[in-house]
Amino acid sequence: MEFIIVLILLLLWFFVAERVVRKILKVEKGSLEGTPGAKINAWSQGITIFLSLLIIPFAAEDWWEGMMFFWLVYLTSFSFVEAFLQWKYIPETREHLATLVMYPLGLGMLLGIGLLLF
């Protein structure tokens, strides 16, 4: 029960942090839909998930460590590919700045959840 409460608080914190980051950086909400980057983004997400899942058995002896490693690799790959595509195809929204600032916050949340589980 405590874990659920902490998880809800972390997700709420992440949501509020994103709103604050967007307000401070004056970043508009943007989408890659309708740009050539949408197709590239879909393919890159699929490839990232596939490669990350292949890494799990070799990442660690413990299943939880493997899952943490999976999410670390996935979050890092996804965030930087997404930020690059946003920078390239929708630079006027400055969405890439929000993605890059939210990456360390998401990573901290992932590590916090990992610490709660171990």
Side-chain angles (χ1 to χ4, degrees):
M1 184 67 179
E2 292 173 5
F3 176 73
I4 303 272
I5 292 170
V6 171
L7 186 62
I8 290 171
L9 289 175
L10 282 172
L11 290 173
L12 182 63
W13 171 79
F14 190 75
F15 177 74
V16 169
E18 182 183 13
R19 305 278 270 181
V20 169
V21 164
R22 286 183 181 284
K23 188 167 277 204
I24 289 172
L25 296 176
K26 296 177 177 74
V27 174
E28 303 171 19
K29 194 89 162 140
S31 175
L32 288 170
E33 293 299 318
T35 67
K39 195 170 194 173
I40 297 169
N41 190 30
W43 275 96
S44 69
Q45 285 180 12
I47 291 169
T48 300
I49 289 173
F50 178 73
L51 292 177
S52 298
L53 287 172
L54 285 178
I55 291 172
I56 290 176
F58 306 107
E61 295 175 18
D62 185 19
W63 187 81
W64 284 107
E65 288 178 21
M67 286 307 296
M68 287 300 292
F69 188 73
F70 162 76
W71 284 109
L72 177 69
V73 169
Y74 177 73
L75 181 64
T76 302
S77 313
F78 175 76
S79 294
F80 287 110
V81 168
E82 183 90 7
F84 174 75
L85 292 174
Q86 290 167 345
W87 169 76
K88 183 162 176 67
Y89 292 105
I90 51 171
E92 65 279 353
T93 63
R94 299 176 56 200
E95 181 75 23
H96 58 283
L97 296 176
T99 301
L100 291 174
V101 169
M102 292 307 294
Y103 166 72
L105 296 176
L107 187 62
M109 191 169 97
L110 174 68
L111 294 175
I113 292 170
L115 289 174
L116 287 174
L117 293 175
F118 293 116

